[in-house]
């Protein structure tokens, strides 16, 4: 006895809906893998759950970008607007420019120059000479700046040494004056403490001898 038809409609119970989603999602991904292997087909599958979570599958031999590009060309449908196309073109242009700069950089180092003709070699030599001139000019500016800074440091050192010398002279002068003041004060104190009989007296003439 065969199974009855199941009516296809939204499952109201959230738990049952989640279980059904998981089973059928796994089944679809399994079928996509099988058709890729069995039929050598290029398959790209993207599934978004009601929660927003994404599940995807893409044939291992073909990148998703290539599949989308092929779909874009064969269906004629625009997968992105002109703004995104312009951005893609700009990215391609920048990539090409970067590749050219990488080649030029290798050639400036003397690499990959065997395929260059005489005119290209002359242009490369001119570029190297111009670069060398710029380097020498920059080096000369740097050396000039170093000499200027060195001279400024010498002048500053002389000024600081002179200021230090002046401060030392002032300090020495103050010390000498303090020593003189202290010496004079000690002498006055010494004389004031000495007995009167031992103090130096002025010489007086002997009056008795004068009378004789």
């Amino acid at each position: 006895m065969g199974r009855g038809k199941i009516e296809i409609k939204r499952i109201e119970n959230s738990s049952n809906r989640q279980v059904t989603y998981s089973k059928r999602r796994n089944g679809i991904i399994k079928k996509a893998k099988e058709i890729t292997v069995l039929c050598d087909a290029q398959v790209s599958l993207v599934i978004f759950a009601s929660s927003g979570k994404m599940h995807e599958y893409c044939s291992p031999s073909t990148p998703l970008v290539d599949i989308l590009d092929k779909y874009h060309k064969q269906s004629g449908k625009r997968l992105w607007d002109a703004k995104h196309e312009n951005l893609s073109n700009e990215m391609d242009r920048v990539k090409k420019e970067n590749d050219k700069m990488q080649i030029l950089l290798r050639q400036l180092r003397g690499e990959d120059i065997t395929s260059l003709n005489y005119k290209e070699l002359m242009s490369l030599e001119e570029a190297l000479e111009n670069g060398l001139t710029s380097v020498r000019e920059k080096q000369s500016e740097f050396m000039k700046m170093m000499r200027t800074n060195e001279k400024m440091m010498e002048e500053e050192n002389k000024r600081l040494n002179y200021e230090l010398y002046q401060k030392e002279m002032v300090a020495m002068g103050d010390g000498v004056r303090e020593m003189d003041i202290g010496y004079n004060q000690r002498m006055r104190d010494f004389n004031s403490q000495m007995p009167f009989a031992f103090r130096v007296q002025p010489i007086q003439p002997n009056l008795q001898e004068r009378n004789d």
Side-chain angles (χ1 to χ4, degrees):
M1 186 174 180
R3 293 170 52 185
K5 270 192 173 183
I6 300 177
E7 184 181 2
I8 302 300
K9 65 177 182 178
R10 183 177 184 272
I11 300 174
E12 297 298 333
N13 186 280
S14 59
S15 298
N16 294 340
R17 186 167 61 245
Q18 181 62 35
V19 171
T20 301
Y21 170 78
S22 298
K23 289 181 179 180
R24 300 215 172 196
R25 179 200 66 210
N26 293 336
I28 292 175
I29 294 176
K30 181 180 179 182
K31 293 296 182 182
K33 292 178 179 179
E34 290 176 354
I35 195 173
T36 297
V37 175
L38 296 174
C39 306
D40 195 22
Q42 296 177 349
V43 180
S44 178
L45 175 65
V46 180
I47 305 174
F48 288 94
S50 59
S51 62
K53 186 176 181 180
M54 183 185 75
H55 297 86
E56 62 178 329
Y57 170 78
C58 185
S59 300
S61 60
T62 308
L64 177 60
V65 175
D66 292 347
I67 293 179
L68 293 176
D69 186 59
K70 184 178 291 187
Y71 175 82
H72 175 76
K73 291 177 180 179
Q74 294 190 10
S75 67
K77 296 181 180 180
R78 302 178 65 87
L79 299 179
W80 43 76
D81 55 20
K83 180 179 179 180
H84 292 90
E85 288 184 0
N86 292 335
L87 180 60
S88 178
N89 294 334
E90 181 66 15
M91 291 176 62
D92 292 339
R93 185 189 66 80
V94 172
K95 185 177 183 302
K96 291 178 181 179
E97 289 292 332
N98 183 65
D99 293 339
K100 290 181 181 179
M101 293 299 295
Q102 292 294 331
I103 294 174
L104 179 59
L105 182 61
R106 290 196 299 270
Q107 292 174 347
L108 290 173
R109 293 198 299 260
E111 304 172 2
D112 299 338
I113 60 174
T114 54
S115 60
L116 299 180
N117 57 37
Y118 179 78
K119 185 176 180 180
E120 291 171 338
L121 289 172
M122 291 296 294
S123 298
L124 183 61
E125 182 181 10
E126 183 180 359
L128 287 171
E129 289 178 350
N130 292 336
L132 183 59
T133 301
S134 299
V135 170
R136 287 173 176 170
E137 290 177 353
K138 189 66 178 178
Q139 186 180 21
S140 178
E141 292 177 4
F142 182 74
M143 295 299 296
K144 183 178 180 181
M145 182 179 65
M146 287 186 63
R147 286 193 294 268
T148 301
N149 292 338
E150 184 178 357
K151 185 176 180 180
M152 291 175 60
M153 291 178 65
E154 288 178 356
E155 294 295 332
E156 181 68 12
N157 188 44
K158 290 180 181 179
R159 185 184 66 81
L160 293 174
N161 287 335
Y162 179 71
E163 291 181 356
L164 179 61
Y165 172 77
Q166 287 183 322
K167 291 180 180 179
E168 289 178 349
M169 289 296 99
V170 171
M172 290 177 63
D174 293 341
V176 170
R177 285 194 294 272
E178 290 177 359
M179 289 175 64
D180 290 342
I181 294 173
Y183 175 78
N184 294 332
Q185 181 64 39
R186 287 194 297 273
M187 290 301 298
R188 285 195 295 270
D189 295 342
F190 178 76
N191 287 332
S192 63
Q193 295 173 5
M194 182 179 292
F196 181 78
F198 292 98
R199 295 183 185 179
V200 177
Q201 299 296 328
I203 299 175
Q204 298 295 335
N206 192 323
L207 297 178
Q208 185 178 358
E209 291 181 354
R210 180 178 296 181
N211 293 333
D212 293 339

